[in-house]
Each structure stands twice: as structure tokens, then as C-alpha cells.
Amino acid sequence: MAGHGAEDPAIERFNRMREEAYKNFRWTRQTTRTALLGFIIVPGVIYYFSNQYHMKWDWVAKRKGESLDTVSKSQTD
């Protein structure tokens, strides 16, 4: 049914606004905060935690009941 009938001017204005949104972009306090959170802080937190827990667990050749911790209590004693 697409393409039949008259075009709605409101929909056309909305589509044009969406396609040209980058032309009207302005750096404001809100957009700066969003950019910092999305591009610096969130990836930084993910990177920090991935480095903290990297190689903490070892799944290779573990049997039921064995600890997944790479440095288990029995090895340190």
C-alpha cells in the first residue's frame, strides 16, 4: 500500500529534519556531558574492570568442585 495517496507534509518535514540534524548540531553543556560519558568515561570504566579481572579465572581443565581462581587457597599454603 506504500506509495498510494497523498504525502503528508508533517512526515516530510520530520524526515527532512532527521536527515539534516547534523547541520544544526551545537556543543552545549548537555551534549558535552553526553559525549564525555559515552566516549571517555564508560569505555574507561569497562577497560579498568577488564584489566582488574583479566586472568583471574582459569576454566581450562577444571573439574567439578575445583576452584576457578588462578591462585587458589591450596596453592598459597
Side-chain angles (χ1 to χ4, degrees), residues 2-3 6-8 13 19 22 25 30-31 33-35 39 42 47-48 50-51 55 57 66-67 70 72-73 76:
E7 295 178 357
D8 187 358
R13 281 194 312 271
E19 291 170 0
Y22 68 94
F25 179 79
Q30 179 70 28
T31 57
R33 185 172 59 96
T34 302
F39 297 123
V42 171
Y47 178 75
Y48 171 77
S50 66
N51 276 339
M55 300 299 290
W57 296 286
E66 289 183 338
S67 174
T70 54
S72 65
K73 294 176 184 175
T76 58

Side-chain angles (χ1 to χ4, degrees), residues 21 26 37:
R26 301 285 183 260
L37 280 171

Side-chain angles (χ1 to χ4, degrees), residues 34-72:
T34 302
L36 285 174
L37 280 171
F39 297 123
I40 296 174
I41 295 173
V42 171
V45 168
I46 292 172
Y47 178 75
Y48 171 77
F49 282 111
S50 66
N51 276 339
Q52 290 296 317
Y53 294 106
H54 179 66
M55 300 299 290
K56 183 173 180 174
W57 296 286
D58 185 18
W59 291 81
V60 177
K62 295 294 180 176
R63 294 185 177 149
K64 185 175 181 179
E66 289 183 338
S67 174
L68 294 175
D69 198 3
T70 54
V71 181
S72 65

